[in-house]
């Protein structure tokens, strides 16, 4: 009877231990729904961001075309022939209309391209030169736009000042850009010349929104005034009204919104809450099943373990001293890595026996080989213990961390700390070890300052140059480096362009100006950061396949400048040689070779090809089509589709095949794959 009672107590103890994870599982069961809802929101937020990125890409292309058309030579020629004989005007008009038709061929979203001569009351489009009345009635109102537009309304829609504007009419978007007419020289509304790109809303939505809206969700775009610009397929009549943007709360919908970086537009995403609820219920059912299974296995193993361990109890415990050391290490590591909690952490400090009698704290990080940490920690603690109220050391990842506490003057304490570190470094050198690099924070008040001091020490350590010598660096020496560090993106892009052109002299001037702007920093801890940025610029500007630049460590400002100039001249010389070699081959072959080599790059498109060959997107597309008989974008997509077929046939997943074939996202890959093969990737893989 006594044996059974003992066995029962053992079983009960195991079941009590099992109850803790079971209670945790129950908590996880109830938390699962909120987690899934949050993750679902993050997934849809990423989808919305992708839609915004694709929309911004299309808007940038449109605005680039507007800029290009306003600078078009045929347009200027037609303006210049305002008072010329009819044959000359007809020839200039023929050239202008031909150019406008080329733009529509190059960019499939364009329905028409217009040049409106406000002063004359006429316009030129891909259909020729005509009056505004004729164009509005014959072309705009005759294409089923859903709402009729008068010539007066069309003319009033033209901008009154020089600049860009947007006009919505029916199922079209008019992107407008006005400039002074060369014929009149007047900047009044009548003397303006307006370039307009007519974009079909449905095509824009099909390219940017339709492939991303699924499971009944809605993607749509509005301007800052709340006017609807375009919407995904099936969204008509389902978008709730809102003034100036997305409603804050919608019954039955999860609303998300983000702003375009290319225009004053807002992208909105409405996801049915029923979709989220269904996913949450699925996860909850799986969690419940796992809970029941866990409980069953727990009871089984509890009974089994009770039988095995009954009568055999071996207690293994650490000594009190070992426990205290582990607790002190953990408590100190927590102070370095997390903000101080006076209620919880204060009690932990007292329990662990920390005696911080001073009110000032600072942190130090020591970078040295792992095998030498113990020796350095012993030497440093022995030296500094007589000068500070408390000296505590612990491992902080790959570094040795120290927390120092004192009362009194901060400057004297920092001077004494420098002397103590140098003494410990000498001890290590005498043992044939080292080097030791010390990164010191500033002084802070109270234990709550330890966390911020640790952050300062880490930032200081990142600014320390490599080398085989002992070093000590204070946070006060580097804390303003970021504020004075001047190397804007515009300067970097300008330098990259000049390097790619092989223009050594112009590139040297830009580099010299950058070094002059940052001259006070070249002797500080920020010099390695600036040098790394400039070396990265040289690598971006190099047209070679494996360009790499390594700067020696611990260079003086003069030596650093000399190395950068030498690398710049070498890169420009190499780029010039490559450019001269490319000119000797036919352009069509060069473009094809470049696409064959880089089509797996997701960033490759017509604009990038044009930028690589220093040509306009329209010109390089027409040149490639003339030489090969096919469109450049069509050729890029065909290569990617063939590559994805090979990957799918080899067993790759759809997302992996899309990424390795050069598609940025799976939805766009599926859309293009279906366009070229008539099948989805999943259907193709099952063949």
């Amino acid at each position: 009877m006594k044996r059974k009672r003992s066995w029962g107590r053992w079983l009960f103890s195991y079941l009590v231990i099992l109850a803790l994870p079971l209670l945790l599982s129950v908590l996880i069961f109830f938390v699962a729904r909120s987690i899934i809802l949050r993750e679902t929101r993050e997934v849809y937020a990423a989808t919305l961001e992708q839609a915004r990125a694709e929309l911004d890409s299309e808007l940038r292309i449109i605005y680039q075309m507007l800029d290009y058309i306003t600078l078009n030579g045929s347009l200027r020629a037609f303006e210049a022939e305002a008072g010329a004989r009819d044959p000359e005007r007809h020839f200039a008009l023929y050239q202008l209309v031909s150019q406008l038709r080329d733009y529509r061929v190059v960019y499939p979203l364009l329905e028409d391209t217009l040049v409106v001569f406000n002063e004359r009351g006429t316009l030129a489009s891909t259909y020729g030169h005509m009056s505004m009345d004729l164009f509005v009635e014959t072309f705009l109102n005759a294409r089923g736009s859903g709402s009729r537009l008068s010539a007066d309304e069309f003319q009033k829609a033209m901008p009154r000042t020089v600049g860009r504007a947007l006009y919505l009419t029916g199922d079209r978007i008019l992107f407008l850009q006005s400039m002074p007419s060369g014929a009149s020289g007047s900047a009044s509304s009548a003397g303006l010349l307006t370039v307009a790109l007519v974009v079909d809303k449905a095509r824009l939505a099909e390219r940017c929104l339709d492939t991303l809206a699924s499971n009944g969700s809605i993607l749509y775009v509005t301007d800052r005034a709340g006017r609807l610009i375009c919407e995904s397929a099936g969204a008509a009549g389902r978008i709730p009204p809102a003034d100036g943007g997305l409603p804050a709360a919608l019954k039955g919908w999860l609303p998300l919104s983000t702003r375009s970086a290319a225009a004053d537009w807002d992208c909105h995403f409405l996801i049915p809450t029923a979709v989220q609820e269904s996913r949450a219920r699925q996860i909850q059912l799986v969690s419940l099943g796992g809970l029941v299974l866990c409980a069953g296995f727990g009871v089984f193993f509890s009974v089994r373990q009770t039988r095995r361990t009954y009568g055999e109890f071996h207690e293994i415990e650490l000594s009190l001293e070992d426990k205290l050391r582990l607790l002190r290490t953990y408590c100190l590591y927590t102070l370095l890595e997390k903000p101080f909690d006076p209620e919880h952490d204060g009690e932990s400090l007292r329990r662990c026996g920390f005696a911080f009698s001073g009110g000032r704290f600072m942190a130090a990080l020591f970078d040295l080989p792992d095998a030498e940490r113990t020796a350095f920690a012993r030497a440093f603690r022995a030296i500094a213990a007589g000068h500070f109220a408390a000296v505590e050391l612990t491992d902080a990842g790959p570094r040795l961390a120290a927390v120092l506490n004192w009362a009194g003057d901060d400057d004297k304490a920092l001077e004494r700390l420098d002397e103590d570190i140098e003494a410990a470094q000498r001890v290590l050198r005498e043992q044939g070890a080292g080097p030791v690099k010390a990164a010191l924070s500033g002084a802070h008040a109270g234990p709550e300052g330890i966390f911020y001091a640790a952050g300062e020490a880490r930032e200081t350590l990142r600014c320390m140059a490599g080398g085989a010598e002992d070093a000590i660096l204070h946070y006060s020496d580097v804390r303003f480096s970021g504020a004075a560090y001047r190397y804007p993106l515009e300067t970097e892009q300008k330098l990259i362009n000049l390097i790619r052109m092989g223009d050594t002299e112009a590139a040297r001037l830009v580099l010299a100006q950058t070094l002059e702007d940052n001259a006070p920093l070249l002797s500080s801890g920020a010099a390695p950061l600036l040098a790394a940025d400039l070396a990265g610029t040289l690598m971006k500007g190099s047209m070679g396949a494996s360009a790499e630049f390594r700067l020696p460590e611990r260079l003086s400002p003069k030596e650093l400048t000399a190395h950068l100039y030498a690398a710049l001249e070498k890169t420009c010389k190499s780029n010039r040689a490559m450019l001269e070699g490319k000119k000797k081959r036919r352009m069509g072959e060069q473009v094809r070779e470049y696409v064959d080599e880089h089509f797996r790059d997701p960033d490759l498109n017509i604009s990038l090809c044009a930028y690589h060959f220093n040509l306009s997107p329209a010109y390089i597309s027409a040149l490639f089509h003339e030489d090969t008989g096919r469109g450049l974008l069509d050729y890029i997509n065909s290569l990617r589709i063939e590559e994805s077929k090979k990957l799918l046939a080899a067993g790759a997943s759809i997302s992996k095949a899309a990424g390795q074939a050069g598609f940025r996202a799976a939805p766009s890959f599926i859309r293009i794959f279906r366009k070229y093969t008539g099948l989805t990737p999943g259907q193709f893989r099952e063949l």
Side-chain angles (χ1 to χ4, degrees):
M1 190 69 178
K2 183 177 181 180
R3 182 182 179 90
K4 290 183 178 179
R5 284 198 300 269
S6 299
W7 191 90
R9 285 195 297 268
W10 276 100
L11 178 60
F12 178 75
S13 65
Y14 278 113
L15 291 176
V16 170
I17 296 173
L18 173 65
L20 296 177
L22 288 178
L23 291 175
L24 181 61
S25 299
V26 172
L27 178 63
I28 294 175
F29 170 75
F30 287 104
V31 172
R33 179 178 179 275
S34 63
I35 294 177
I36 294 303
L37 292 178
R38 184 176 67 252
E39 291 182 350
T40 303
R41 184 184 182 93
E42 292 175 355
V43 169
Y44 282 113
T47 303
L48 177 61
E49 183 63 22
Q50 180 181 349
R52 183 202 62 79
E54 293 190 9
L55 182 66
D56 286 351
S57 177
E58 299 298 333
L59 289 176
R60 290 189 181 98
I61 293 175
I62 291 172
Y63 287 137
Q64 287 174 3
M65 292 185 68
L66 280 173
D67 292 337
Y68 188 79
I69 295 173
T70 56
L71 300 175
N72 186 278
S74 298
L75 175 58
R76 296 301 182 184
F78 182 72
E79 283 191 277
E81 300 296 337
R85 299 185 303 273
D86 286 344
E88 296 173 346
R89 282 182 53 78
H90 289 167
F91 180 72
L93 176 61
Y94 170 77
Q95 288 183 316
L96 176 60
V97 172
S98 298
Q99 289 287 337
L100 297 180
R101 290 173 178 169
D102 290 341
Y103 299 138
R104 189 175 67 177
V105 171
V106 169
Y107 190 53
L109 294 185
L110 285 184
E111 186 174 292
D112 207 343
T113 307
L114 314 175
V115 178
V116 182
F117 304 97
N118 296 321
E119 187 175 13
R120 306 175 190 173
T122 62
L123 57 82
S125 73
T126 57
Y127 301 99
H129 183 234
M130 64 191 73
S131 66
M132 291 186 189
D133 295 342
L134 180 60
F135 177 79
V136 170
E137 291 299 326
T138 306
F139 296 101
L140 280 184
N141 291 335
R143 296 180 192 171
S145 63
S147 61
R148 297 188 60 82
L149 184 70
S150 68
D152 290 339
E153 291 174 335
F154 180 78
Q155 190 166 12
K156 289 179 181 178
M158 298 300 105
R160 301 303 180 187
T161 58
V162 175
R164 292 175 177 169
L166 182 74
Y167 186 71
L168 304 176
T169 172
D171 54 5
R172 297 179 184 83
I173 308 172
L174 273 66
F175 293 88
L176 310 171
Q177 180 162 319
S178 293
M179 61 180 180
S181 172
S184 66
S186 172
S188 64
S189 59
L192 293 179
L193 182 147
T194 303
V195 176
L197 299 182
V198 183
V199 176
D200 186 89
K201 291 183 180 180
R203 296 180 189 173
L204 182 62
E206 179 182 2
R207 172 164 291 193
C208 302
L209 307 179
D210 288 355
T211 57
L212 300 175
S214 59
N215 296 327
S217 58
I218 299 174
L219 271 167
Y220 66 99
V221 180
T222 64
D223 61 10
R224 297 296 163 81
R227 294 183 302 170
L228 180 65
I229 294 176
C230 62
E231 59 192 3
S232 59
R238 301 171 61 199
I239 300 176
D243 295 331
L246 189 67
L250 296 172
K251 186 176 181 180
W253 297 92
L254 170 64
L256 299 175
S257 181
T258 185
R259 289 195 168 183
S260 168
D264 290 336
W265 291 7
D266 293 323
C267 299
H268 306 296
F269 201 4
L270 298 180
I271 305 98
T273 54
V275 175
Q276 306 172 70
E277 295 290 345
S278 64
R279 295 184 178 181
R281 282 194 296 271
Q282 293 173 2
I283 297 299
Q284 287 180 324
L285 290 176
V286 173
S287 300
L288 181 60
L291 177 62
V292 173
L293 187 63
C294 178
F297 275 107
V299 172
F300 170 76
F301 282 110
S302 294
V303 174
R304 186 168 179 265
Q305 190 67 14
T306 300
R307 290 175 177 174
R308 290 183 57 185
T309 59
Y310 175 69
E312 300 178 3
F313 181 68
H314 301 281
E315 181 179 3
I316 302 174
E317 64 177 5
L318 295 172
S319 67
L320 183 60
E321 183 180 353
D322 292 337
K323 287 182 177 180
L324 181 59
R325 186 175 63 253
L326 290 175
L327 286 174
R328 287 172 64 89
T329 300
Y330 174 75
C331 183
L332 189 61
Y333 181 80
T334 302
L335 291 176
L336 292 168
E337 297 296 328
K338 297 180 180 179
F340 182 76
D341 181 0
E343 181 178 352
H344 178 267
D345 293 337
E347 180 66 23
S348 298
L349 289 177
R350 288 189 292 272
R351 289 182 178 179
C352 295
F354 285 106
F356 293 140
S357 58
R360 306 295 291 172
F361 291 83
M362 71 172 298
L365 287 178
F366 301 102
D367 185 10
L368 70 166
D370 294 343
E372 300 163 7
R373 287 190 188 182
T374 303
F376 179 81
R378 186 182 301 112
F380 178 72
R381 182 182 284 108
I383 295 171
H387 305 140
F388 293 89
V391 178
E392 301 292 343
L393 292 99
T394 185
D395 288 332
R399 312 281 186 258
L400 178 66
V403 175
L404 299 107
N405 172 241
W406 72 93
D409 185 73
D410 292 345
D411 293 336
K412 291 182 179 180
L414 293 176
E415 291 177 5
R416 174 59 67 180
L417 179 59
D418 285 350
E419 296 173 359
D420 293 345
I421 293 175
E422 291 173 356
Q425 290 172 337
R426 283 195 300 271
V427 171
L428 219 60
R429 283 199 303 271
E430 292 171 358
Q431 298 175 1
V436 178
K437 299 185 183 302
L440 309 181
S441 72
H444 293 264
E448 58 271 14
I450 297 177
F451 170 72
Y452 302 102
E456 293 176 359
R458 283 191 288 268
E459 183 177 348
T460 305
L461 188 62
R462 284 195 293 269
C463 294
M464 297 187 72
E469 299 180 3
D470 294 331
I472 300 175
L473 185 62
H474 289 263
Y475 177 69
S476 59
D477 296 330
V478 300
R479 59 181 172 178
F480 297 117
S481 299
Y485 184 172
R486 295 184 56 196
Y487 188 42
L489 291 176
E490 295 82 2
T491 301
E492 181 185 25
Q493 189 58 52
K494 182 178 180 180
L495 187 55
I496 291 173
N497 293 338
L498 292 173
I499 292 173
R500 289 184 175 178
M501 294 167 57
D503 193 342
T504 304
E505 293 302 321
R508 280 180 65 91
L509 291 176
V510 176
L511 178 59
Q513 185 62 46
T514 301
L515 294 174
E516 181 180 351
D517 293 342
N518 296 279
L521 300 178
L522 296 182
S523 300
S524 69
L529 303 179
L530 177 60
D533 269 356
L534 291 173
T537 300
L538 292 175
M539 284 188 282
K540 293 176 185 177
S542 175
M543 299 171 65
S546 59
E548 184 174 359
F549 304 96
R550 295 185 180 274
L551 294 174
E553 297 178 349
R554 304 183 68 83
L555 292 177
S556 66
K558 186 176 180 180
E559 292 172 336
L560 175 62
T561 302
H563 274 281
L564 289 173
Y565 280 139
L568 176 67
E569 293 179 1
K570 180 179 178 181
T571 305
C572 289
K573 182 178 179 181
S574 174
N575 287 351
R576 283 198 304 272
M578 294 184 67
L579 290 173
E580 291 173 359
K582 289 179 180 179
K583 290 180 182 179
K584 296 178 181 179
R585 294 180 295 168
R586 295 177 65 245
M587 183 59 68
E589 296 176 354
Q590 294 180 43
V591 175
R592 179 180 299 196
E593 291 173 2
Y594 178 79
V595 172
D596 290 345
E597 183 180 355
H598 297 89
F599 73 90
R600 296 180 182 86
D601 183 2
D603 293 327
L604 183 68
N605 54 25
I606 296 176
S607 297
L608 186 61
C609 290
Y611 179 83
H612 180 77
F613 292 98
N614 199 24
L615 300 171
S616 69
Y619 181 73
I620 198 172
S621 298
L623 186 65
F624 187 83
H625 185 271
E626 180 180 355
D627 189 66
T628 64
R630 63 188 307 180
L632 179 54
L633 183 60
D634 176 67
Y635 182 66
I636 295 173
N637 285 335
S638 65
L639 292 179
R640 290 172 173 169
I641 292 300
E642 292 302 319
E643 180 68 12
S644 65
K645 287 181 179 179
K646 297 177 183 178
L647 294 170
L648 291 171
S653 65
I654 294 177
S655 60
K656 183 177 181 181
Q660 294 185 358
F663 292 94
R664 186 175 299 278
S668 59
F669 164 61
I670 295 172
R671 173 172 54 82
I672 297 174
F673 192 94
R674 181 183 295 169
K675 176 181 177 182
Y676 278 78
T677 64
L679 302 171
T680 65
Q683 293 171 340
F684 176 84
R685 191 167 52 183
E686 294 173 358
L687 294 178

